[in-house]
Amino acid sequence: MHFFEGLLKIKPYVWAILGALVLIAITSIYLNKSNTKEKKFDTRKITTASLCIALSFVLSYIKIFKLPQGGSITLGSLIPLFIFAYTYGVKDGVIVGAIYGILQFIQEPYIVHWAQVIIDYPLAFGALGLAGLSRKNIPVGMVLGGVGRLFFHVISGVIFFASYAPEGQNVLVYSLVYNLTYLLPDLILCIVIGFIPQFKNAINRLSTERC
Amino acid sequence: MIRDITLGQYLPGDSVIHRLDPRVKIILSTLYVVNLFIINKFIGYLYVAVFTAFVIFIAKIPFKYIMKSLKPIIWLLLFTAVFNVLLTPGEIVYARFGPFTITDKGIYLAGFMIIRIVFLIVGTSVLTLTTSPIALTDGIELLLNPFKKIGVPAHELAMMMTIALRFIPTLIDETDKIIKAQKARGADFESGNIINRAKNLIPILVPLFINSFRRADELALAMEARCYKGGEGRTRMKQFNIEKNDYISIVVMVCFIIISILSRR
């Protein structure tokens, strides 16, 4: 009896998350079936992905600008993930982003809610792989990836507020403002770097060598 | 600049908790987290406190490491507390200033939420403190194996994590070297507006990327020369076995969850 009553009490957002997860699973199966001929991960792709993840990790330690409320601008720590997505496309980019997210969780687990863990780590960082949607222009891709990540962090913020703050607050705005304060500066730096010609040329050379 | 970096939180040791199978530990930690959301009364958290203290004790984790894991969430805790105390409506009102009230229910809720967050962090920290990152990635691979059929590249995921973890220290050294080399040439990373700073970073980033990609190529070549061809048919040097201790810990966890569910009434 208790169990079924509990099921009824599950809040709408939980259903929304579960729905989103199912959707992701279905699309991934679909993507898998549609191009079975293409080899998924060859050795070179695996090692490149690994080195990109490691490089992102290293760059995330180098803080060149500290923000007052605790966030910081890192030395373009997301750029390697963007470049990987730019080189190998959305699907691989998302997978590699998600792995980076899981490693971030292992490095410093920050957990306030079970759904928040899934959204804040694999999904939010996986969304960085959306940068692969724009394979002609790096800065556009960076914006896409950044917006994707912001989207998931905002959702997780809403969950946090919904479960830890009293009702009746404008949670969406709070979450958006809070997340923007630390995501935006880092993303701006990435985009500025993405616009610099020397950098663009180097990246284009690296990625055309590969595909 | 980046010398004082510790990777992960792993605290080497040889306790019963350290020796548990990583798969079992990941599943048990997940259950622990879910269990925290099952509990709806303070008395339930008393059981959690006793259980957690017991696990920390047999894992021989010094208390200061537990405190260290709580440091990043101090602001979050404060925020939760203030928010709940001031904004929860309740029957007994202790104080009132403008739109804010301090009520019995607010204080109760604040306490409840803080305890939950603290245990969430402490519980997951016990996992990362007693399991090396490599063991964690192996555990994740083995847990994801059944999902290979629906297209989860379990082996590739774990392989990438393992290689990434292996190369983080190497790349730290390399970054450090490049930064020093550019500084010696007169590069300035500490002044100017954001655009100037971004421009100044290019001499670090470009060599770093080119080196990393080259390293990736060399590594791929080295792996293939040793006949690496994906997860199919690959065996491990160190096999994971579920042993007596693992079964005991599963039983203890199940008992603990049953007690928590009973405490809801």
Side-chain angles (χ1 to χ4, degrees):
Chain A
M1 256 343 259
H2 253 286
F3 180 70
F4 290 108
E5 277 169 24
L7 267 187
L8 284 177
K9 266 189 239 155
I10 293 175
K11 290 172 194 122
Y13 71 81
V14 177
W15 290 115
I17 294 157
L18 291 176
L21 285 178
V22 171
L23 207 72
I24 291 168
I26 291 171
T27 36
S28 67
I29 292 171
Y30 172 75
L31 278 175
N32 238 30
K33 283 216 173 113
S34 62
N35 49 8
T36 34
K37 273 176 203 143
E38 186 187 320
K39 196 158 186 278
K40 271 177 273 171
F41 274 103
D42 58 12
T43 315
R44 200 161 176 230
K45 206 193 268 184
I46 290 179
T47 53
T48 311
S50 315
L51 266 292
C52 283
I53 295 168
L55 196 54
S56 271
F57 228 94
V58 172
L59 293 178
S60 75
Y61 288 122
I62 308 174
K63 303 189 160 85
I64 54 169
F65 222 79
K66 281 227 167 80
L67 299 176
Q69 87 289 8
S72 52
I73 304 183
T74 57
L75 205 157
S77 65
L78 301 176
I79 293 177
L81 298 176
F82 286 142
I83 290 175
F84 185 82
Y86 173 77
T87 314
Y88 287 102
V90 183
K91 201 182 141 202
D92 296 332
V94 169
I95 292 174
V96 167
I99 295 174
Y100 178 71
I102 295 171
L103 283 182
Q104 283 283 342
F105 180 73
I106 292 175
Q107 166 74 8
E108 199 177 296
Y110 190 91
I111 164 171
V112 294
H113 193 278
W114 56 269
Q116 168 264 343
V117 179
I118 301 168
I119 295 173
D120 257 351
Y121 290 98
L123 291 187
F125 285 101
L128 291 172
L130 294 178
L133 283 174
S134 145
R135 299 183 70 174
K136 294 215 172 72
N137 201 333
I138 309 180
V140 174
M142 286 176 174
V143 173
L144 287 174
V147 170
R149 183 179 169 196
L150 177 71
F151 172 76
F152 282 109
H153 281 315
V154 168
I155 290 185
S156 101
V158 170
I159 289 175
F160 167 74
F161 280 109
S163 50
Y164 289 99
E167 282 169 28
Q169 310 298 321
N170 198 349
V171 291
L172 201 63
V173 176
Y174 282 143
S175 180
L176 189 66
V177 170
Y178 170 73
N179 284 300
L180 271 179
T181 54
Y182 72 92
L183 283 178
L184 198 61
D186 216 14
L187 189 63
I188 288 176
L189 185 74
C190 284
I191 293 168
V192 170
I193 291 174
F195 268 116
I196 295 173
Q198 294 96 312
F199 178 78
K200 248 185 171 168
N201 294 340
I203 297 312
N204 280 332
R205 215 180 58 229
L206 283 179
S207 57
T208 44
E209 261 173 27
R210 242 139 242 275
C211 285
Chain B
M1 196 171 179
I2 49 170
R3 280 284 158 181
D4 50 346
I5 290 166
T6 49
L7 187 68
Q9 302 176 308
Y10 179 53
L11 203 65
D14 193 34
S15 72
V16 182
I17 305 286
H18 281 83
R19 272 176 286 146
L20 287 182
D21 188 293
R23 281 172 288 179
V24 175
K25 255 193 279 191
I26 294 173
I27 291 177
L28 293 184
S29 305
T30 317
L31 288 178
Y32 177 90
V33 167
V34 173
N35 189 39
L36 285 174
F37 286 90
I38 291 176
I39 291 167
N40 61 354
K41 291 202 181 76
F42 266 118
I43 183 80
Y45 284 138
L46 190 68
Y47 302 141
V48 176
V50 172
F51 177 80
T52 314
F54 173 69
V55 172
I56 291 171
F57 175 73
I58 55 174
K60 298 193 188 99
I61 304 169
F63 191 63
K64 71 169 192 221
Y65 283 90
I66 299 290
M67 286 289 114
K68 223 168 110 190
S69 68
L70 286 174
K71 225 168 95 189
I73 58 156
I74 284 178
W75 287 108
L76 189 87
L77 288 178
L78 265 175
F79 171 82
T80 313
V82 170
F83 229 89
N84 275 297
V85 167
L86 292 183
L87 291 170
T88 313
E91 279 148 25
I92 308 165
V93 178
Y94 297 120
R96 189 190 292 277
F97 6 72
F100 303 119
T101 52
I102 296 179
T103 63
D104 57 336
K105 218 177 145 205
I107 292 173
Y108 177 83
L109 261 183
F112 199 78
M113 296 304 178
I114 287 177
I115 291 174
R116 181 187 281 175
I117 298 178
V118 166
F119 280 125
L120 278 171
I121 301 279
V122 170
T124 34
S125 295
V126 169
L127 173 69
T128 48
L129 280 167
T130 60
T131 322
S132 70
I134 294 290
L136 277 176
T137 56
D138 284 345
I140 291 171
E141 175 181 3
L142 292 168
L143 285 174
L144 284 178
N145 262 341
F147 297 104
K148 262 186 183 165
K149 284 202 182 85
I150 61 159
V152 178
H155 168 76
E156 285 81 2
L157 289 184
M159 185 51 108
M160 284 186 228
M161 281 197 238
T162 314
I163 299 177
L165 287 170
R166 159 66 184 79
F167 274 92
I168 288 169
T170 315
L171 289 184
I172 287 176
D173 279 352
E174 200 153 298
T175 314
D176 201 42
K177 240 184 240 166
I178 293 174
I179 290 177
K180 278 185 186 141
Q182 301 295 15
K183 270 190 180 159
R185 292 175 175 80
D188 173 20
F189 308 117
E190 269 109 28
S191 61
N193 62 18
I194 187 158
I195 292 177
N196 278 333
R197 278 187 194 220
K199 266 190 193 154
N200 294 339
L201 292 176
I202 297 297
I204 300 177
L205 288 176
V206 172
L208 203 52
F209 280 120
I210 291 175
N211 274 353
S212 310
F213 274 60
R214 191 173 296 151
R215 227 178 248 280
D217 288 348
E218 282 165 9
L219 185 63
L221 203 63
M223 283 165 74
E224 276 174 352
R226 289 162 182 75
C227 298
Y228 174 79
K229 50 182 197 302
E232 225 44 54
R234 197 173 147 85
T235 52
R236 298 171 166 278
M237 187 173 126
K238 226 167 142 191
Q239 292 285 344
F240 288 114
N241 293 315
I242 296 188
E243 286 162 6
K244 207 174 92 194
N245 280 334
D246 297 303
Y247 289 116
I248 294 173
S249 61
I250 292 170
V251 171
V252 170
M253 186 50 112
V254 170
C255 293
F256 171 56
I257 290 172
I258 291 172
I259 292 173
S260 306
I261 293 174
L262 289 178
S263 79
R264 282 168 64 94
R265 294 169 189 251

